[in-house]
């Protein structure tokens, strides 16, 4: 099983091929495919960065909307006063600091308490910003200068690549092992000398950093940002659903889950605008009931089944 | 074994991705068919928090207009030498801005629709306007809008609805006329509320009306009785609330519940909607004022719209934007017919500069492409009619002041 956690030559080749195909996409794909891919990449980034922390540690965080929103709002405040890349990095940094602060306060909580608090954070930030904007700045919304679609796409792709490198580096390192240890048995991990608090807070911050980057990039697509738009609770549930849909604890799970999930959403909403929710709901229920390992888990089960058949034949 | 399968997995992913990208490209290169219809795309909230608003204001007017146009065989376009029927292609944006902006781009670059109709809500318009502008697509604003949109100054965006900058001075004049001495202004903490709440103050001051209270409330509030009681304790003549329908319902219901009466009771976004406001409170709404405004008496075309709307949907139309959107679509149709082509730029240039006769009378845009000739600004419910009470020619009935007290509940 450990071999699946390290990247080997063949996987690397496949990765490079996929990345090359994606990097060249604006040259051969339709304009709308690029817009769609940016959105899919956004969800992939959110899901993978969510799974990076919540997968191994089993701390279910519902704060993605808060970190995503912090990135969006940083971009909205800075607007056009700084170069784009700087704005995006600041968006990530703000989310990182927020996560470290919140993590230091709350990562002692376990189970449902942690879930509730992280979700409460989304509302807290939204209302604080509403109050602040209204009473201190006399405004509610801000206008963000928009950038063109292919720039948004390349930025998202860059964030995604950076994220994947981080995820693999983490998995292959002793920190990754320690993080898994936290998920298996936190006391035991602490006893064998892992500094669990620092570890948890750092990785929590790291995952928030990527969510913040994604938020800052997306802000440029929406033009008008107010706290209610920036902190949309749905964004907290999506990465969780997508990661589970794809399969948690498996390297490609969150990526495949998010990609298929968001493409499916797009496909259904345009083909069946009036029944979209119904169809989507049924798919979700079926997936949760019959595919405990997610899509990737199911694929592996099918493969095992065929392998067994082959062995039985020989 | 494991390694081999992962290589396969990766290649599969790659294959699927390529197929999807190339498929989308192929769709792009499909040959253009001869024109047999005009397709208008719209990404609007059919589900989610905004869906209720779409149902009571705006959404249905577009459907009615398409039906009306097709009854007459379509829009005559000289370039094709025939009338082209109109098809409305709608997507659901789930009340989500990101989805909406993606869908508008899909409509433009992939579905290649001929025109775009607006999404619902101010922030949504904000996001949609630059996108349409980038592709050189005309966007006629429907429900939503704010003075802030002028700052973006987008040549392809047309604002149809009126809001605080024209309504506030008229409300202040009406208050002056009936003898209101002091007001309490309460506003929702969002773009609409703040713009309204803030722009009213100078107008009231100009007319010598005292603003004794000026407070905001957060969205999603469940109890407004402290604000009502505070306003009452200050002894103000008029209560002015800049709100959205849910907040407006709360203010009305709680004022009735606590039997708190003011001589004038004004809500921005709610009284204009008969199904929602009249349907909920019935006769009790006598004397309530609201943003708007028009009614069947405004013009012959307005009367016709009310009748057509009632016949199709079995309820009265919205008495704020209903006639405006309707007339803006008629103006749009005449601009297309005059241009004789579906070329956006030619149509835009005609729209921006020319007057056409519509259901509400002459319709034109000012230099910022904001619609000017509103049928009315402020309405008041009087004996089951949402009367226009603006001073001057638009008035359909004089203001009723003081407003009768809320009906006593049968104990």
């Amino acid at each position: 099983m450990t071999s699946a956690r390290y990247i080997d030559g063949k996987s690397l080749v496949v990765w490079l091929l996929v990345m090359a195909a994606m990097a060249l996409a604006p040259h051969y794909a339709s304009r709308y495919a690029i817009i769609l891919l940016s959105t899919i990449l956004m969800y992939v980034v959110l899901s993978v960065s969510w799974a990076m922390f919540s997968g191994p540690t089993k701390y279910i965080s519902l704060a993605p909307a808060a970190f995503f929103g912090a990135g969006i709002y940083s971009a909205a405040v800075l607007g056009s006063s700084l170069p784009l890349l700087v704005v995006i990095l600041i968006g990530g940094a703000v989310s990182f600091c927020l996560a470290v602060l919140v993590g230091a306060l709350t990562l002692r909580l376990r189970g449902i308490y942690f879930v509730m608090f992280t979700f409460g954070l989304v509302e807290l930030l939204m209302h604080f910003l509403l109050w602040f904007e209204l009473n201190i700045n006399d405004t509610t919304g801000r206008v963000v200068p928009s950038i063109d679609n292919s720039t948004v796409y390349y930025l998202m792709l860059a964030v995604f690549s950076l994220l994947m490198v981080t995820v693999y580096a983490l998995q292959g390192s002793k920190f990754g092992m320690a993080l898994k240890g936290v998920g298996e048995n936190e006391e035991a991990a602490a006893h064998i000398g892992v500094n669990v608090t620092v570890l948890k807070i750092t990785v929590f911050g790291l995952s928030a950093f990527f969510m913040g980057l994604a938020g800052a990039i997306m802000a440029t697509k929406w033009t008008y940002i107010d706290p209610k738009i920036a902190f949309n609770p749905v964004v907290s549930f999506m990465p969780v659903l997508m990661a589970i849909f794809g399969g948690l604890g498996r390297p490609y799970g969150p990526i495949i889950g998010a990609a298929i999930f968001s493409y499916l959403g797009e496909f259904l909403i345009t083909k069946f605008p009036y029944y979209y929710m119904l169809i989507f709901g049924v798919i979700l229920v079926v997936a949760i009931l019959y595919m405990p390992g997610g899509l990737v888990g199911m694929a592996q089960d099918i493969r095992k089944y065929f392998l067994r058949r082959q062995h039985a034949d020989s | 074994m494991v390694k081999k399968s992962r290589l396969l997995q990766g290649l599969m992913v790659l294959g699927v991705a390529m197929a999807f990208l190339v498929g989308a490209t192929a769709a792009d290169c499909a040959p253009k068919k001869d024109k047999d219809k005009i397709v208008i795309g719209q990404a609007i909230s059919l589900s989610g928090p905004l869906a209720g608003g779409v149902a009571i204001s705006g959404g249905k007017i577009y459907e009615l207009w398409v039906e009306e146009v097709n009854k007459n065989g379509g829009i005559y376009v000289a370039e094709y030498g025939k009338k082209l029927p109109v098809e409305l292609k709608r997507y659901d944006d789930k009340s989500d801005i990101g989805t909406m902006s993606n869908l508008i781009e899909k409509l433009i670059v992939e579905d290649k629709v001929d025109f775009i109709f607006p999404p619902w809500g101010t922030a949504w318009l904000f996001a949609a306007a630059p996108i349409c502008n980038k592709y050189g697509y005309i966007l006629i604003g429907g429900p939503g809008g704010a003075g802030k949109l002028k700052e973006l100054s987008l040549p392809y965006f047309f604002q149809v609805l009126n809001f605080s900058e024209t309504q506030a001075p008229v409300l202040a004049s009406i208050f002056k006329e009936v003898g209101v001495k002091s007001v309490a202004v309460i506003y929702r903490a969002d773009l609409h509320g703040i713009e309204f709440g803030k722009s009213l103050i100078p107008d009231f001051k100009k007319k010598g009306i005292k603003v004794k209270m000026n407070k905001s409330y957060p969205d999603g509030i469940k109890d407004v009785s402290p604000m009502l009681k505070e306003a009452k304790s200050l002894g103000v003549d008029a209560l002015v609330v800049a709100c959205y329908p849910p907040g407006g319902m709360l203010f009305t219901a709680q004022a009735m519940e606590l039997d708190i009466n003011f001589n004038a009771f004004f809500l921005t976004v709610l009284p204009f909607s008969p199904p929602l406001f009249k349907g909920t409170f019935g006769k009790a709404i006598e004397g309530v004022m609201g943003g708007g405004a028009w009614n069947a008496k405004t013009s012959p075309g307005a009367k016709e719209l009310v009748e057509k709307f009632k016949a199709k949907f079995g309820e009265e139309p919205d008495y704020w934007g209903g006639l405006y959107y309707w007339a803006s679509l008629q103006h749009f149709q005449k601009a297309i017919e005059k241009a004789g082509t579906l070329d956006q730029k030619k149509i835009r240039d005609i729209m921006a500069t020319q007057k056409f006769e519509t259901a509400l009378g002459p319709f034109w845009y000012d230099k910022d492409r904001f619609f000017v000739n509103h049928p009315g600004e402020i309405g008041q419910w009087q004996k089951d009619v949402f009367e226009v009470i603006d001073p001057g020619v638009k008035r359909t009935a004089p203001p009723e002041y003081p407003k009768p007290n809320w009906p006593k509940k049968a104990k």
Side-chain angles (χ1 to χ4, degrees):
Chain A
M1 194 58 224
T2 47
S3 68
R5 274 213 309 274
Y6 295 96
I7 194 147
D8 54 56
K10 278 187 181 143
S11 301
L12 192 65
V13 171
V14 173
W15 264 117
L16 288 174
L17 278 174
V18 171
M19 288 319 268
M22 289 190 71
L24 295 171
H27 297 288
Y28 62 84
S30 72
R31 280 195 294 181
Y32 184 66
I34 298 304
I35 297 166
L36 192 54
L37 273 174
S38 310
T39 308
I40 291 177
L41 277 175
M42 174 193 105
Y43 279 119
V44 169
V45 167
L46 285 175
S47 302
V48 174
S49 50
W50 178 84
M52 178 165 100
F53 173 78
S54 293
T57 60
K58 302 196 172 69
Y59 275 88
I60 302 299
S61 154
L62 284 183
F67 302 135
F68 186 65
I72 293 177
Y73 223 79
S74 307
V77 171
L78 297 167
S80 51
S81 55
L82 290 165
L84 183 66
L85 278 177
V86 177
V87 169
I88 291 168
L89 283 173
I90 290 177
V94 167
S95 297
F96 176 84
C97 298
L98 183 72
V100 166
L101 188 74
V102 171
L105 289 169
T106 61
L107 279 168
R108 300 171 212 294
L109 299 171
R110 258 292 184 194
I112 193 74
Y113 303 103
F114 180 75
V115 176
M116 289 313 293
F117 184 90
T118 49
F119 190 58
L121 182 69
V122 180
E123 291 287 308
L124 175 80
L125 281 171
M126 182 186 89
H127 284 289
F128 169 73
L129 276 171
L130 262 176
W131 172 86
F132 184 85
E133 292 285 47
L134 195 66
N135 296 302
I136 314 292
N137 294 335
D138 269 357
T139 164
T140 52
R142 295 162 176 275
V143 175
V144 185
S146 55
I147 52 179
D148 65 292
N149 291 327
S150 52
T151 314
V152 168
Y153 172 74
Y154 279 125
L155 285 166
M156 256 328 158
L157 194 61
V159 171
F160 170 64
S161 323
L162 190 64
L163 173 63
M164 287 325 291
V165 170
T166 314
V167 166
Y168 272 112
L170 193 71
Q171 274 188 342
S173 73
K174 62 179 196 210
F175 298 109
M177 298 299 285
L179 210 57
K180 263 194 100 63
V182 169
E184 307 280 335
N185 186 333
E186 197 163 336
E187 274 95 41
H191 276 295
I192 53 172
V194 176
N195 190 341
V196 284
T197 314
V198 171
L199 182 72
K200 282 189 300 189
I201 292 173
T202 313
V203 181
F204 192 56
L206 206 55
S207 86
F209 172 73
F210 288 103
M211 294 176 187
L213 292 181
I217 296 170
M218 286 321 272
T220 60
K221 266 189 80 82
W222 298 346
T223 319
Y224 176 79
I225 306 285
D226 70 20
K228 277 189 79 82
I229 291 167
F231 295 89
N232 176 359
V234 173
V235 175
S236 274
F237 294 101
M238 277 305 193
V240 186
L241 281 176
M242 287 170 175
I244 291 171
F245 186 65
L248 263 178
R250 293 177 170 83
Y252 300 124
I255 303 178
I256 293 185
I260 292 182
F261 202 96
S262 44
Y263 182 66
L264 195 69
E266 170 79 18
F267 175 80
L268 290 175
I269 213 165
T270 50
K271 291 279 177 294
F272 311 103
Y274 295 91
Y275 304 103
Y276 152 81
M277 281 288 178
L278 188 69
I279 301 171
F280 211 58
V282 169
I283 290 174
L284 259 187
V285 169
V286 169
I288 302 249
L289 281 179
Y290 297 102
M291 297 162 41
L295 286 173
V296 177
M298 194 176 70
Q300 288 181 343
D301 289 346
I302 292 171
R303 213 187 66 236
K304 277 195 195 118
Y305 171 78
F306 278 110
L307 282 178
R308 268 206 304 277
R309 284 274 304 269
Q310 270 177 0
H311 287 305
D313 290 344
S314 53
Chain B
M1 193 65 238
V2 171
K3 280 180 190 173
K4 192 171 154 190
S5 67
R6 273 175 48 232
L7 182 68
L8 270 174
Q9 240 180 33
L11 285 170
M12 246 167 61
V13 171
L14 189 64
V16 169
M18 292 294 276
F20 148 76
L21 289 172
V22 174
T25 320
D28 247 17
C29 306
K32 256 198 146 78
K33 285 197 286 288
D34 182 45
K35 268 275 173 241
D36 52 358
K37 61 185 178 194
I38 295 172
V39 183
I40 303 181
Q42 185 172 34
I44 196 163
S45 311
L46 303 172
S47 66
L50 299 185
V54 173
I56 62 157
S57 78
K60 288 177 174 159
I61 291 283
Y62 297 97
E63 294 165 37
L64 185 66
W65 178 78
V66 169
E67 193 179 88
E68 262 325 283
V69 168
N70 290 340
K71 263 187 203 160
N72 299 321
I75 299 175
Y76 182 79
V77 185
E79 197 181 336
Y80 301 98
K82 60 179 176 187
K83 280 190 170 181
L84 296 172
V86 173
E87 182 194 310
L88 185 59
K89 190 181 175 108
R90 266 190 179 170
Y91 289 143
D92 178 15
D93 68 19
K94 301 180 292 184
S95 304
D96 171 63
I97 286 215
T99 308
M100 186 278 300
S101 60
N102 277 2
L103 289 173
I104 283 202
E105 296 212 41
K106 180 183 167 68
L107 285 164
I108 293 173
V109 305
E110 189 168 320
D111 302 345
K112 300 214 178 5
V113 294
D114 299 297
F115 297 106
I116 290 283
F117 274 169
W120 197 96
T122 299
W124 277 252
L125 271 182
F126 254 104
I131 295 173
C132 292
N133 208 63
K134 180 173 74 182
Y135 292 105
Y137 265 70
I138 294 162
L139 183 68
I140 305 167
K148 250 184 152 36
L149 274 160
K150 280 185 188 170
E151 293 169 24
L152 297 178
S153 96
L154 304 162
Y156 283 84
F157 177 72
F158 293 82
Q159 170 69 40
V160 171
L161 210 56
N162 55 341
F163 33 91
S164 62
E165 61 172 3
T166 53
Q167 286 184 348
V170 173
L171 185 65
S173 321
I174 294 168
F175 279 4
K176 172 89 179 158
E177 176 188 346
V178 297
V180 169
K181 298 275 178 291
S182 58
V183 296
V185 177
I186 299 172
Y187 57 96
R188 178 187 147 119
D190 78 336
L191 192 65
H192 161 80
I194 292 169
E195 239 182 40
F196 224 104
K198 297 239 182 288
S199 68
L200 278 163
I201 314 296
D203 282 309
F204 284 146
K205 283 210 174 106
K206 251 184 265 168
K207 301 277 182 210
I209 300 166
K210 254 212 178 79
V211 180
K212 287 191 175 173
M213 175 179 168
N214 185 13
K215 271 207 167 138
S216 73
Y217 69 88
D219 170 43
I221 195 169
K222 292 286 174 276
D223 179 19
V224 297
S225 56
M227 284 189 277
L228 284 164
K229 286 174 183 158
E230 183 183 344
K232 191 67 202 166
S233 69
L234 293 168
V236 294
D237 292 321
L239 179 76
V240 172
V241 186
C243 57
Y244 277 168
M249 295 299 259
L250 207 56
F251 273 97
T252 314
Q254 291 197 317
M256 282 181 195
E257 198 64 37
L258 301 163
D259 202 28
I260 294 177
N261 288 287
F262 299 92
N263 292 336
F265 190 86
F266 173 89
L267 309 168
T268 52
V269 187
L270 173 62
F272 72 86
S273 171
L276 200 56
F277 199 52
K278 199 157 78 172
T280 309
F281 300 113
K283 294 273 175 248
I285 61 175
E286 181 68 21
V288 173
M289 298 177 186
W294 65 281
N295 57 48
K297 296 184 217 171
T298 296
S299 67
K303 189 164 180 285
E304 196 187 345
L305 172 60
V306 173
E307 283 160 6
K308 279 181 175 155
F309 196 94
K310 271 188 181 161
K312 183 166 163 65
F313 300 109
E315 58 189 32
E316 287 176 82
D318 105 53
Y319 287 125
W320 181 339
L323 181 61
Y324 301 32
Y325 316 139
W326 181 251
S328 77
L329 296 173
Q330 293 179 326
H331 180 269
F332 175 57
Q333 181 179 351
K334 289 193 166 160
I336 296 174
E337 284 173 349
K338 181 144 191 180
T341 164
L342 297 181
D343 181 83
Q344 305 269 351
K345 187 173 180 325
K346 285 186 181 131
I347 299 167
R348 187 218 85 92
D349 294 344
I350 291 171
M351 283 174 66
T353 51
Q354 300 198 15
K355 246 183 228 189
F356 292 109
E357 202 50 44
T358 63
L360 58 74
F363 189 109
W364 74 95
Y365 295 98
D366 68 7
K367 63 167 180 34
D368 291 315
R369 291 163 312 285
F370 274 48
F371 163 55
V372 229
N373 186 23
H374 312 147
E377 304 291 343
I378 306 293
Q380 182 181 37
W381 281 102
Q382 297 178 13
K383 300 188 184 59
D384 251 7
V385 179
F386 196 53
E387 301 283 6
V388 180
I389 54 170
D390 298 20
V393 291
K394 292 174 183 172
R395 180 169 281 185
T396 60
E400 184 182 12
Y401 187 84
K403 167 190 173 306
N405 284 353
W406 303 116
K408 286 275 171 284
K409 282 194 292 290
K411 285 270 182 289

